[in-house]
Amino acid sequence: MTHTEHPTLTVLDHPLIRHKVSHLRDRRTPKKRFRELAEEIASLMAYEVTRDLPLAQVEVDTPLETTRGWQIRGKKMVVVPILRAGLGMVDGIVRLVPGARVGHVGLYRDEDTLEPVTYYFKIPGEAGGRDFVVVDPMLATGGSAVEAVRLLKDAGAGSVRFMCLVAAPEGVEAMAEAHPDVSVYAAALDRELDERGYIRPGLGDAGDRLFGTR
C-alpha cells in the first residue's frame, strides 16, 4: 500500500507480515526466532519489491511439448545489505531469488560529526545494467540509507530500491529528499524517532538482537 503522506513509501501490510512483525517487536522473542522472523519477513516482502522486474519470453520444453515461458530479463538482481544488521535480511531474499548476487556496504557514524563514514563497499561490476535492492532492518534518521544509495549511484547504478522492516517518518523523508527516484518498502511505518534517534515503538537494536550482542 503506497502511503498517502509519503509518496515514495510502500508499506507492505499483508496479514502474514503484520503478524510476524508483532512477534519481531516482542522483547521476549529469542535471538534465534528473531533471526528467523527477519528472514521470513524479508522473503515475503521480496515478492512485492520484485513485482516489476523486467521479463523476457523464452521457449520451454515440457515433457509433452514446447511452450512459451518467462525469465527475468537483463542482469541479475543484486541485494546490498548495509552492514551489519542488513545481513539478517539477505537469506530471506536470496531464498526467493537464488540467482541474485550480493554486494555489501559497511558504514558507521562518526561520533563527532554524526555523519556516515564508509569503511567497506563491494558490488558486482556493470552496475548500470543491474537492479539493486538495498536492505537494512531499520530506516531511522536515514543517514546510512541515503549514503548507501549515493555510493551505488556513484558506481553507476540506475535502478535502486530500499527495503526495511521498520521505518520512521524522519528516515522516509530524508530518503525522499536525497533520492526521490528511490522507492522505499517497509513492513511497518512507526510513529517517530526519540531524542536518542531510536524508532518508537520500534523493535530495539536490530543488530544486537540478530547477533546476540546486547
Side-chain angles (χ1 to χ4, degrees):
M1 177 181 68
T2 302
H3 201 278
T4 54
E5 295 180 19
H6 305 284
T8 62
L9 172 67
T10 299
V11 178
L12 303 179
D13 58 353
H14 188 283
L16 286 175
I17 292 176
R18 296 173 70 178
H19 171 84
K20 291 176 185 293
V21 168
S22 294
H23 286 284
L24 198 72
R25 293 188 191 276
D26 194 330
R27 64 187 302 173
R28 298 168 297 181
T29 299
K31 62 180 180 296
K32 178 179 182 295
R33 184 58 186 144
F34 189 93
R35 286 195 296 267
E36 292 170 348
L37 286 165
E39 289 184 12
E40 291 166 7
I41 296 168
S43 189
L44 289 168
M45 294 180 68
Y47 279 99
E48 185 64 29
V49 175
T50 58
R51 175 179 290 275
D52 60 352
L53 288 179
L55 293 171
Q57 198 168 70
V58 295
E59 284 193 350
V60 179
D61 290 325
T62 79
L64 300 177
E65 62 180 88
T66 298
T67 187
R68 288 182 292 181
W70 301 92
Q71 68 178 18
I72 302 298
R73 189 179 70 226
K75 303 294 183 183
K76 298 295 185 181
M77 187 176 82
V78 182
V79 183
V80 183
I82 298 178
L83 304 177
R84 62 179 169 147
L87 292 171
M89 300 172 66
V90 172
D91 286 349
I93 303 172
V94 173
R95 189 174 296 117
L96 182 68
V97 191
R101 300 193 182 191
V102 180
H104 296 88
V105 176
L107 298 165
Y108 70 89
R109 188 168 67 171
D110 186 281
E111 293 183 359
D112 295 324
T113 66
L114 302 181
E115 294 297 320
V117 177
T118 305
Y119 66 87
Y120 188 77
F121 181 75
K122 184 73 171 179
I123 62 170
E126 301 180 336
R130 301 185 185 278
D131 292 290
F132 289 87
V133 180
V134 180
V135 297
D136 198 354
M138 317 292 286
L139 179 59
T141 64
S144 294
V146 166
E147 180 64 8
V149 173
R150 184 192 69 78
L151 290 168
L152 287 171
K153 287 184 174 181
D154 286 350
S159 172
V160 184
R161 307 159 209 223
F162 183 84
M163 177 175 159
C164 63
L165 302 180
V166 176
E170 294 88 339
V172 176
E173 291 167 6
M175 179 67 89
E177 181 176 349
H179 303 292
D181 58 324
V182 173
S183 297
V184 175
Y185 298 85
L189 177 65
D190 279 12
R191 185 179 68 249
E192 62 184 0
L193 292 180
D194 66 17
E195 65 279 0
R196 296 181 297 170
Y198 291 161
I199 299 177
R200 296 289 185 139
L203 48 78
D205 187 299
D208 285 345
R209 296 192 69 184
L210 282 165
F211 302 112
T213 51
R214 60 175 176 173

